[in-house]
Amino acid sequence: MASERLARILAQLSAGGVTDPGVARLCEVCASVTMTSGAAIMLVPADAPPVSLYTTNDVSRLVEEAQFTLGEGPSVDAYQLERPVIEPDLANPETVRWPAFSPVVLRAGVRSVFGLPLRIGAVRLGALGFYRDMAGPLTNDQHADALVLADVATRAVLAIQANASAGEIAAELESGANLRFVVHQASGMVAVQLGVSITEALVRLRAYAFANDRAISEIAEEVVARHLHFHSDSVEVHEE
């Protein structure tokens, strides 16, 4: 049964004569197979902020941006906990898990979210995320398909990433990323400004973005452009 499921999914990926479907095609098939409203792949490089490789639509992008900015959500948990994370009813959850993330995506029409880790053995790469514009769990078949899709996505990313340097994103993956790598550059600049680690610098970027109700990518662009400068107890704004 598992082999038949895999064969069916691979057939969809290669439909129309596609021999190298790439990350974009993979996300589109993920959403189609699971009958969800959108999908995205989040990659988590070593000692660096997460990166959204591709999102299928604007709402998927918002979901990824919210997780990136706030540091919480289904894909974040799936990666950290190394197991599927499912919330079938964001508006009425049994347990409130994401107090900052949930209100943001609910306003965009998201009603249920699902995250699956991308991993093989001890190797953790990131997470595959889905959302729906209606409440409800995945069916057993959809859940099984999602697990196979996560495995396919993991192997695809590993194959692309194989020739990249340690801690770096392969050029093919970087070129398709939705959440721009400017956040990496900004984190490095803030780390120097504050004399802290890259991880702590990312926390400061996220906190500032959240406090000002803005996306972290926008804040990062202003840091790189030197319109924002972080100090130990404040943020200095340089007007153009």
Side-chain angles (χ1 to χ4, degrees):
M1 181 65 179
S3 60
E4 293 176 2
R5 193 179 300 277
L6 175 59
R8 173 169 49 81
I9 288 171
L10 292 178
Q12 290 202 38
L13 282 169
S14 59
V18 177
T19 57
D20 184 12
V23 177
R25 174 69 175 164
L26 181 57
C27 284
E28 291 163 0
V29 169
C30 284
S32 174
V33 168
T34 57
M35 299 183 69
T36 50
S37 303
I41 291 178
M42 174 187 288
L43 191 63
V44 185
D47 302 318
V51 175
S52 174
L53 295 183
Y54 185 80
T55 55
T56 54
N57 55 35
D58 288 343
V59 177
S60 291
R61 178 181 169 83
L62 183 146
V63 170
E64 291 297 288
E65 184 85 30
Q67 292 189 96
F68 194 27
T69 301
L70 303 170
E72 64 179 39
S75 291
V76 174
D77 282 4
Y79 170 76
Q80 293 178 342
L81 301 175
E82 301 183 37
R83 61 172 175 79
V85 174
I86 296 171
E87 179 48 72
D89 191 349
L90 267 180
N92 298 287
E94 290 186 7
T95 303
V96 177
R97 289 185 277 190
W98 310 303
F101 167 81
S102 295
V104 172
V105 298
L106 279 168
R107 288 196 294 270
V110 176
R111 291 296 176 266
S112 53
V113 289
F114 316 91
L116 290 86
L118 300 182
R119 57 171 295 182
I120 292 181
V123 178
R124 298 192 303 159
L125 298 179
L128 174 62
F130 307 89
Y131 87 90
R132 273 183 175 159
D133 56 11
M134 61 182 181
L138 298 174
T139 66
N140 290 337
D141 272 347
Q142 289 167 349
H143 183 78
D145 282 344
L147 293 175
V148 172
L149 286 160
D151 184 62
V152 170
T154 301
R155 295 176 187 278
V157 171
L158 278 176
I160 297 171
Q161 184 68 12
N163 296 321
S165 302
E168 298 294 328
I169 304 296
E172 184 178 346
L173 298 177
E174 182 173 354
S175 65
N178 287 117
L179 294 183
R180 289 160 288 183
F181 286 78
V182 67
V183 177
H184 293 245
Q185 186 177 358
S187 295
M189 292 175 66
V190 172
V192 171
Q193 292 168 9
L194 299 177
V196 299
S197 67
I198 294 291
T199 301
E200 176 62 24
L202 178 59
V203 171
R204 290 293 298 268
L205 284 169
R206 281 175 167 158
Y208 186 81
F210 179 72
N212 289 274
D213 195 25
R214 297 178 62 193
I216 192 172
S217 57
E218 295 178 4
I219 301 303
E221 287 176 348
E222 294 189 7
V223 170
V224 171
R226 292 179 168 78
H227 297 156
L228 290 179
H229 189 286
F230 281 68
H231 300 280
S232 58
D233 57 356
S234 64
V235 177
E236 181 180 341
V237 180
H238 299 278
E239 298 293 340
E240 295 185 62

